[in-house]
Structures are given as C-alpha cells and as structure tokens.
Amino acid sequence: LPRFYGQAVDESKIRPLGQPTVDVTGVPDPTAGGELVFTAEVDVRPQITLPDYAALAVVVDDVTVEDSDIDDEITGLRQRFGTLVGVERAAVEGDFVSIDLAAEIDGEQIDAVTGVSYEIGSKNMLDGLDEALVDMSAGDTKQFDAPLAGGDREGQSASVTVTVASVKERELPELDHDFAQLASEF
C-alpha cells in the first residue's frame, strides 16, 4: 500500500500535507488474482499566486506619545526595580505587608495561610482586607467579616483574622544614569 500510494502521488504530481486517510475498496482473491483497489484522501499544499506587491500601499497610523505616557512607563520601571525596606510605622496604601490569615465560619476554621506578602490597595485577595490593613503595625491583629473567594464555601461570609508580621515600603531608585543602565541597555 505505501508503494502504490507513493506511485499515485508521483503520477498526479501533488504535494501532500500529512498522512492520507485510506479506504480499501477492493482486495484481490488469493486464488483467482485481481487488483488491490483503494482510495487515499490527503490534504495538499495549495498553489498560491501572489499579486503584484508593487501596487499595494500600506498606511501606518501616526503614533502620538503624551508626556503622561512617558511618566507612567518610567514610574512602572522604577517600581519594578524598587526595593522593599522595612518600616516601623502603621501601614498605608501602597505598602507591602507580610500577613497571616485565618478564616472561620461558626467557629470552624475553613482556611489559614502564614507569611503571605501582600500589597495594600491591590484588592486582589479578600474583600475588606485592604481596609483592615490600613493603620495596622507589625504585631497587630484585626478581625473582619468577608465573603470567601473560593472553595466549596465560596460566597459564604467568614470571620477573618489577619495578623501583620511586618510592614515594608517600596523604595524607588533615583532617576539617574545608574538607573537607566539598570533598566535598559541604553
């Protein structure tokens, strides 16, 4: 079969893509002889006729960059290369805290995590967590109610206890030659 398929491809001068689907429709009788008859279906490489590209026109929209776009990009770079420095004060929005969380429903502990790093104001954990963390210092514990965000009790209100282990602020690098070399190859 592979030899006959190869002959058919050569005779028809097609350029197949992939393996064929073969349907054998006639098998020779071992005693009386006869022919092997099969149909092979295969995707073929299409014939592509390219248009005259010299007549094609490409229009590129003008790009305008505002000063605020540049400031936003530079601020993003500074934040990416910033360092976290421990502070001895109450947490404010934008600070990073290391926290322990525990959630309970009717006195039964549902979930608990320790040593989680979290940026206050990112709003990507529990509802009410950001508000609870503002004005907390290292060693403080606070309790608040929040709906659970996942698991088999998703959406149920839980009593959440949060303990702050440390408060850190992001220290941004100065906008100078050293920072430019750190942030890019220029």
Side-chain angles (χ1 to χ4, degrees):
L1 188 62
R3 184 177 54 138
F4 294 140
Y5 169 72
Q7 284 177 331
V9 167
D10 290 341
E11 289 171 10
S12 63
K13 298 187 183 343
I14 63 170
R15 295 173 72 187
L17 295 172
Q19 294 297 316
T21 302
V22 178
D23 183 25
V24 177
T25 56
V27 179
D29 184 337
T31 57
E35 294 184 341
L36 172 64
V37 181
F38 67 92
T39 303
E41 185 176 327
V42 66
D43 290 329
V44 295
R45 186 175 298 169
Q47 294 291 330
I48 299 173
T49 305
L50 295 176
D52 180 17
Y53 67 87
L56 297 176
V58 177
V59 178
V60 178
D61 294 335
D62 289 336
V63 176
T64 57
V65 179
E66 302 294 328
D67 287 344
S68 62
D69 297 330
I70 295 170
D71 292 341
D72 291 345
E73 186 65 24
I74 290 174
T75 299
L77 280 173
R78 289 180 71 203
Q79 288 175 340
R80 195 172 335 151
F81 288 95
T83 56
L84 296 179
V85 178
V87 292
E88 297 294 328
R89 60 166 171 74
V92 296
E93 189 164 324
D95 283 346
F96 286 79
V97 289
S98 178
I99 57 174
D100 299 338
L101 282 173
E104 293 182 354
I105 295 179
D106 298 329
E108 176 190 349
Q109 186 170 359
I110 304 303
D111 199 5
V113 293
T114 59
V116 174
S117 180
Y118 181 72
E119 181 181 9
I120 300 174
S122 63
K123 300 193 184 303
N124 61 7
M125 278 185 107
L126 292 171
D127 288 343
L129 179 60
D130 293 278
E131 293 80 8
L133 289 170
V134 171
D135 293 330
M136 290 182 71
S137 298
D140 289 352
T141 298
K142 193 180 278 185
Q143 198 165 1
F144 64 98
D145 292 332
L148 295 177
D152 56 348
R153 293 196 168 185
E154 181 177 356
Q156 291 183 11
S157 182
S159 176
V160 179
T161 303
V162 59
T163 302
V164 175
S166 66
V167 178
K168 296 179 182 180
E169 67 181 356
R170 186 182 348 224
E171 193 173 271
L172 301 180
E174 293 296 323
L175 285 176
D176 57 15
H177 182 72
D178 291 337
F179 171 69
Q181 286 186 326
L182 176 68
S184 75
E185 69 271 18
F186 302 106

